[in-house]
Amino acid sequence: QVQVVESGGGLVQPGASLRLSCTASGSRGSAKPVGWYRQAPGNQREWVASITSGGVTNYADSVQDRFDISRDDAKNAVYLQMNSLKPEDTGVYYCRAQFVQLGRPVRYYWGQGTQVTVSS
């Protein structure tokens, strides 16, 4: 079984900051969080940021220079530091984790999501 757990969402005013956390665990394999997605009401889920095992980061244009993704391998965790938040950043943020088992294709799992609301 693979478990992906996000935390850190909340209600903030425009211009504020939030830090999301994600951890992953799995049995009989290696689970590792690799990125963040978000879904606003009525919209499809969209990619926000990702980080490779080598620490290479990539961001959607809409969050470039405001968000920062990082990892802590000792804790098997990935973080998303969100600064200068805007109302359009509102949505449910999901962590995506990869699960690797010897001899099997890589699979991906989602967490339950954490709500981020940016409103005055």
Side-chain angles (χ1 to χ4, degrees), residues 43-57:
N43 290 357
Q44 291 187 338
R45 192 173 299 187
E46 64 175 3
W47 169 72
V48 174
S50 57
I51 185 167
T52 69
S53 57
V56 176
T57 59

Side-chain angles (χ1 to χ4, degrees), residues 60-105:
D61 289 343
S62 59
V63 305
Q64 184 77 46
D65 297 328
R66 296 189 299 122
F67 290 11
D68 180 62
I69 187 171
S70 60
R71 66 185 310 127
D72 184 337
D73 289 335
K75 297 181 179 179
N76 201 27
V78 166
Y79 308 98
L80 187 67
Q81 177 66 42
M82 305 185 295
N83 301 318
S84 302
L85 282 162
K86 303 176 180 180
E88 51 263 44
D89 294 317
T90 294
V92 179
Y93 282 68
Y94 296 92
C95 178
R96 191 186 195 207
Q98 69 178 24
F99 185 58
V100 179
Q101 289 181 299
L102 186 63
R104 301 191 67 177

